[in-house]
Amino acid sequence: MENTQTETTYQNILVEAKDQILYITINREDKMNALNILTLAEIKSAVLAVYQDSSIRGIILTGKGTRAFAAGADIAEFANFTVEEGTRLSDEGHAVLRAIDNCPKPVIAAINGFSLGGGNELAMSAHIRVCSEKAKFGQPEVNLGVIPGYAGTQRLAQLIGKGRALEYLLTGDMIDAQKALQMGLVNHVVPAEELIAKCEEILNKIKTKAPLAIASVIRCVNTFYEKKADGNLTEINEFGNFFGSEDFIEGTQAFLQKRPANFKGN
Ligand code: COA
């Protein structure tokens, strides 16, 4: 099938195909590449198209600019969501990230800066992560009075282990690139100017292997983690419930008003 990716018009992502690699760039630099609903839908659409596209052998997913890969879900967009809207957001976010995780062609996240909240969950759904030396990672949702909603409670524990995942999920602390490498959150740390080249080097090697074997390896490894389906459902329901809590309103408003949050436990 011919590649039609670059003919599709997207608003919030840039999509370019070159040498059998599809480059997807989140293009909301002024908002730290925050993932609003449209951006997630566009990423899903671009990734799903690759499933059937024999001209593409792998994906590099990155963020525009030098500051952020993606600084999370769009806080301004979801700050006033109802419980139902929050649950739907989480459900759809899980579906987008599953589309990446289950992609039969390797997806590499090229993490060029902040990888926070939903942005880090997006990065964790990729098969391989490469970051620049100045990348910073974290799940700061507890600062907003909410929890990760795009499988962060599941994938962070899978990648770095339960004890370390719980520490970062509970404190919201940021993780620098070297620490991320040491814990297995990323596969490689490289200077910023070598980030894309490193991802291309990995994909060019994988491109020489049998595509059916590559797809099968991804499927087999993923099957191991599918046993954790209940954890995902718990997260979707609990995330949605936060949209009915006073602390969530306080946390998101505090962020938007650039002041510290004052949580009451409601
Ligand atoms: N959602 C919506 N907007 C966001 C955002 C997000 N997750 N992250 C950053 N932005 C916006 C800011 O509101 C700001 O917009 P403005 O210029 O209209 O005021 C712009 O991006 C630049 O961010 P700013 O906070 O001014 O930059 P900074 O250098 O001071 O801080 C971060 C960078 C990434 C540390 C900070 O933006 C941050 O903490 N972001 C939120 C991270 C988060 O909690 N993510 C989890 C969401 S579930």
Side-chain angles (χ1 to χ4, degrees):
M1 185 193 280
E2 283 304 302
N3 171 35
T4 54
Q5 289 276 349
T6 45
E7 290 158 25
T8 311
T9 308
Y10 295 109
Q11 271 182 49
N12 291 344
I13 61 172
L14 303 171
V15 174
E16 186 194 358
K18 197 172 56 161
D19 295 336
Q20 299 182 297
I21 296 174
L22 192 77
Y23 298 77
I24 302 176
T25 305
I26 305 162
N27 190 25
R28 300 188 75 213
E29 198 177 348
D30 58 333
K31 292 292 173 194
M32 295 275 171
N33 296 322
L35 301 168
N36 61 4
I37 291 171
L38 179 62
T39 308
L40 281 174
E42 291 185 347
I43 292 171
K44 185 179 172 195
S45 161
V47 170
L48 286 178
V50 166
Y51 280 44
Q52 310 298 332
D53 186 342
S54 57
S55 73
I56 298 294
R57 300 285 301 278
I59 297 174
I60 295 175
L61 176 60
T62 193
K64 188 87 182 349
T66 55
R67 295 216 55 212
F69 172 72
D74 190 319
I75 299 169
E77 183 178 64
F78 76 31
N80 296 316
F81 273 13
T82 62
V83 167
E84 289 70 29
E85 288 169 325
T87 307
R88 210 177 312 131
L89 178 70
S90 183
D91 199 24
E92 183 51 27
H94 274 248
V96 175
L97 273 50
R98 264 198 315 274
I100 295 172
D101 210 355
N102 291 330
C103 183
K105 330 244 171 115
V107 181
I108 303 187
I111 302 158
N112 51 309
F114 286 112
S115 177
L116 300 175
N120 196 44
E121 293 171 294
L122 177 69
M124 291 193 294
S125 74
H127 303 122
I128 295 170
R129 277 154 296 285
V130 181
C131 77
S132 83
E133 288 164 338
K134 65 179 191 59
K136 283 205 163 42
F137 303 80
Q139 297 294 153
E141 286 86 350
V142 288
N143 296 329
L144 299 170
V146 68
I147 63 169
Y150 304 157
T153 60
Q154 309 301 295
R155 287 202 181 93
L156 189 62
Q158 289 165 8
L159 282 169
I160 69 174
K162 181 179 170 184
R164 287 192 284 220
L166 274 169
E167 180 180 342
Y168 290 109
L169 290 163
L170 295 173
T171 61
D173 281 352
M174 285 205 205
I175 304 166
D176 67 26
Q178 283 307 325
K179 184 91 180 165
L181 179 66
Q182 184 197 326
M183 295 192 301
L185 182 54
V186 296
N187 300 65
H188 303 276
V189 179
V190 294
E193 59 277 14
E194 292 169 24
L195 181 61
I196 298 299
K198 181 67 189 175
C199 298
E200 288 167 342
E201 178 194 317
I202 298 168
L203 281 184
N204 286 336
K205 183 181 281 182
I206 298 172
K207 265 160 50 179
T208 66
K209 321 295 178 192
L212 290 179
I214 295 304
S216 178
V217 166
I218 292 170
R219 207 162 44 241
C220 293
V221 172
N222 283 350
T223 303
F224 176 81
Y225 294 101
E226 276 161 20
K227 290 175 207 132
K228 307 279 194 298
D230 284 349
N232 285 312
L233 198 59
T234 305
E235 187 189 276
I236 290 169
N237 290 330
E238 297 210 3
F239 177 84
N241 288 337
F242 279 96
F243 288 78
S245 85
E246 287 175 19
D247 276 353
F248 173 69
I249 294 165
E250 166 62 13
T252 50
Q253 288 309 312
F255 173 78
L256 295 172
Q257 293 161 11
K258 302 186 188 295
R259 62 170 173 81
N262 179 15
F263 293 127
K264 299 261 176 9
N266 305 311

